[in-house]
Amino acid sequence: MVITLDQNKRKTPYYIFYADEFIQNYYELQHAFCSIYSKFQIAYSFKTNYTPAVCELVKSLGGFAEVVSDMEYTLAKKIGYPDNRIIYNGPGKGKFLESCVLEHGLLHIDNSMDINRVVALARQYTDKEFSVGIRANFDIENGLHSRFGLDVENGEFGRALKRIQSVGNIKVNGLHFHISRARGKIAWSKRIEKLMDIADTYFDYPLDYIDIGSGMFGHLEPELKEQFGDPPSYKDYAEIVAGKMEEHYNGLPESQKPILVVEPGTTVVSKYFRLYTTVLDIKEIRSKFFGLLDSGIHNVGEICVLKKVPVKNLGSGKNGREYKAIDLVGYTCLEQDVIFPNYQGKLAVGDILEIQNVGGYSIVDKPPFIHPDIPIYMKKNEKIECIKREQTFDDIFAPYFFGVIETAGGKGYE
Ligand SMILES: *Cc1c(COP(=O)(O)O)cnc(C)c1O
């Protein structure tokens, strides 16, 4: 349900999703790649932030859905993505694996369990033709020993291809690679070179698509950009990846060139969610200051553990005291619930803080820990509407059974 609310009636904590900026950024990413290599497709990584309004927006912009579970697949279908615009990735596919393949979804084989199921399906439907993608695993020397996909070096990848192709009515038409902790230009150059090398070595026909995953930097606030050094821009990634693709497939007719797919998650969503939270209390303990907020570390997501998140004090009309260092802490009773250590600036009880860049792994990663989750509003065309209501007691306790313990007549202290 989407209801329109008066902006002044909102009480913290809550998120705002800035849809217009999200759209502009999406088009910028698309343009950077398309202007060099026109067969380009964005598939949005649902796991990063599956807020339906965001997934609907991506669909309206022409994006595909990249999902890693039956739950996410169901969401994509509910939103109206046709199967041939859904990429089914990941090591833990559920019973939708078969329907994905039958309905021409883009299934990416990750392990032998996936192979066995696809092979069994093809043997069951000998009158049908199937196609699947496959995820390759190779080292790009970023220090991460990834466990996803099939190892090219030890022959696992090649054996998997032979096994699939031996069935006759399955074609491997897509090649996929994704790795985290490798957002630099050199890592991206290695990925695309290796992928095209695999495409040339293992396939004697042109692939329908090459999916290079994600792990790009998106636009960042200056405070974050500084902490990441000098992150590449969309244009930098496009010049490397789309540039090399264009050069490599230049000789092929347009219809035979593989589509280049990217799967951004945090890359396109993090910057466009902001958290609004109030300072509830300020205390001093043995010369150290703590500012207690009405939100917690889980509302902010992994970014506040990795980096110092950009925080802006929107004030409250009160003249706050100037702090040289105050820890901004959450409500959770966990000592490690520090959203921003050693914050420097003016702060008063009642101030509203805007915490930026919180769209990745916050909404989807918030456990029902201590407090129910908070609402999300969307700002679009100067209008603000609610896209997720506040979670209730009943939302959280509905799956549990009550009244399972019979009274044994125990008495506490009286
Ligand atoms: C998590 C994930 C993504 C999203 O990557 P970002 O770096 O968040 O943009 C894309 N593809 C796969 C396979 C993933 O697991």
Side-chain angles (χ1 to χ4, degrees):
M1 184 180 56
V2 177
I3 45 169
T4 306
L5 276 193
D6 179 352
Q7 188 166 1
N8 300 321
K9 281 191 194 145
R10 274 180 279 128
K11 77 178 195 338
T12 65
Y14 58 83
Y15 298 101
I16 294 185
F17 167 47
Y18 290 89
D20 299 313
E21 285 88 342
F22 177 92
I23 295 169
Q24 196 184 346
N25 173 67
Y26 183 98
Y27 281 139
E28 196 182 314
L29 172 63
Q30 176 141 310
H31 179 75
F33 279 81
C34 276
S35 60
I36 299 172
Y37 188 81
S38 62
K39 292 183 81 170
F40 175 71
Q41 180 62 50
I42 294 173
Y44 175 63
S45 159
F46 274 33
K47 77 166 191 286
T48 312
N49 181 339
Y50 52 53
T51 303
V54 176
C55 300
E56 286 173 12
L57 189 53
V58 169
K59 179 174 168 277
S60 78
L61 298 172
F64 285 15
E66 188 264 331
V67 305
V68 292
S69 68
D70 279 1
M71 179 184 85
E72 292 182 2
Y73 206 112
T74 307
L75 177 63
K77 293 288 286 176
K78 185 176 167 116
I79 286 169
Y81 283 90
D83 293 82
N84 66 4
R85 289 178 163 256
I86 301 174
I87 294 173
Y88 200 179
N89 265 337
K93 301 179 186 82
K95 64 176 172 23
F96 279 35
L97 178 146
E98 281 78 12
S99 61
C100 171
V101 177
L102 281 166
E103 301 298 327
H104 310 290
L106 305 162
L107 183 92
H108 288 174
I109 301 250
D110 177 79
N111 51 45
S112 11
M113 186 173 60
D114 288 353
I115 300 173
N116 292 341
R117 290 174 67 184
V118 167
V119 166
L121 188 75
R123 292 211 167 112
Q124 190 186 340
Y125 295 92
T126 45
D127 55 327
K128 286 199 163 97
E129 297 286 328
F130 299 102
S131 55
V132 294
I134 186 165
R135 181 165 179 173
N137 182 310
F138 49 83
D139 188 16
I140 55 162
E141 287 150 355
N142 66 331
L144 176 66
H145 202 126
S146 170
R147 66 186 172 92
F148 301 115
L150 294 155
D151 189 358
V152 176
E153 208 171 306
N154 74 2
E156 196 75 25
F157 179 85
R159 283 191 290 280
L161 282 182
K162 280 217 176 78
R163 172 127 191 270
I164 296 166
Q165 278 151 354
S166 72
V167 182
N169 57 337
I170 324 173
K171 185 179 175 190
V172 177
N173 69 338
L175 179 61
H176 171 49
F177 181 81
H178 170 81
I179 196 160
S180 47
R181 298 177 220 165
R183 295 180 192 264
K185 286 199 234 179
I186 295 169
W188 276 76
S189 176
K190 280 185 184 159
R191 297 188 192 203
I192 189 59
E193 279 178 2
K194 185 73 186 169
L195 278 170
M196 291 190 305
D197 178 47
I198 295 171
D200 291 346
T201 312
Y202 290 87
F203 300 91
D204 55 8
Y205 51 88
L207 289 168
D208 290 345
Y209 66 96
I210 292 180
D211 177 348
I212 194 162
S214 186
M216 284 180 274
F217 283 107
H219 287 290
L220 295 169
E221 291 80 4
E223 300 94 309
L224 266 181
K225 204 166 174 177
E226 202 171 80
Q227 296 175 66
F228 281 110
D230 185 21
S233 65
Y234 291 154
K235 211 160 160 268
D236 291 331
Y237 292 116
E239 274 165 14
I240 294 165
V241 178
K244 284 182 195 288
M245 289 271 289
E246 179 56 29
E247 199 182 300
H248 194 78
Y249 294 110
N250 197 20
L252 287 182
E254 202 61 20
S255 64
Q256 285 185 24
K257 287 183 185 176
I259 298 165
L260 169 62
V261 180
V262 297
E263 303 176 336
T266 55
T267 306
V268 292
V269 81
S270 290
K271 188 175 191 292
Y272 307 102
F273 274 70
R274 291 177 175 182
L275 173 67
Y276 296 83
T277 181
T278 303
V279 181
L280 298 177
D281 184 66
I282 294 177
K283 63 160 76 153
E284 183 181 351
I285 291 179
R286 290 189 294 285
S287 309
K288 192 174 159 76
F289 293 99
F290 297 92
L292 173 68
L293 307 183
D294 62 1
S295 58
I297 197 168
H298 301 114
N299 298 119
V300 180
E302 65 167 5
I303 184 71
C304 72
V305 185
L306 303 171
K307 300 285 170 193
K308 286 195 163 183
V309 279
V311 174
K312 207 163 116 191
N313 189 348
L314 305 180
S316 55
K318 276 180 253 167
N319 206 6
R321 180 178 153 184
E322 179 77 28
Y323 292 88
K324 277 211 192 77
I326 177 166
D327 279 7
L328 302 178
V329 296
Y331 60 69
T332 60
C333 318
L334 294 174
E335 294 286 7
Q336 69 268 31
D337 189 354
V338 182
I339 292 169
F340 196 110
N342 301 315
Y343 176 79
Q344 191 183 351
K346 269 201 168 151
L347 205 71
V349 169
D351 280 357
I352 294 182
L353 306 183
E354 178 186 75
I355 303 182
Q356 304 173 343
N357 212 282
V358 302
Y361 303 105
S362 50
I363 284 102
V364 292
D365 213 13
K366 161 75 176 72
F369 186 58
I370 302 185
H371 278 309
D373 207 355
I374 64 179
I376 309 175
Y377 300 90
M378 174 171 73
K379 187 158 189 234
K380 194 165 184 288
N381 299 325
E382 294 309 311
K383 231 178 65 195
I384 295 215
E385 47 188 0
C386 184
I387 56 171
K388 184 192 177 191
R389 67 161 167 76
E390 192 177 355
Q391 208 172 31
T392 64
F393 176 92
D394 286 341
D395 289 335
I396 291 174
F397 287 98
Y400 294 93
F401 296 103
F402 285 79
V404 293
I405 305 296
E406 275 172 44
T407 309
K411 278 190 179 157
Y413 176 80
E414 274 169 19

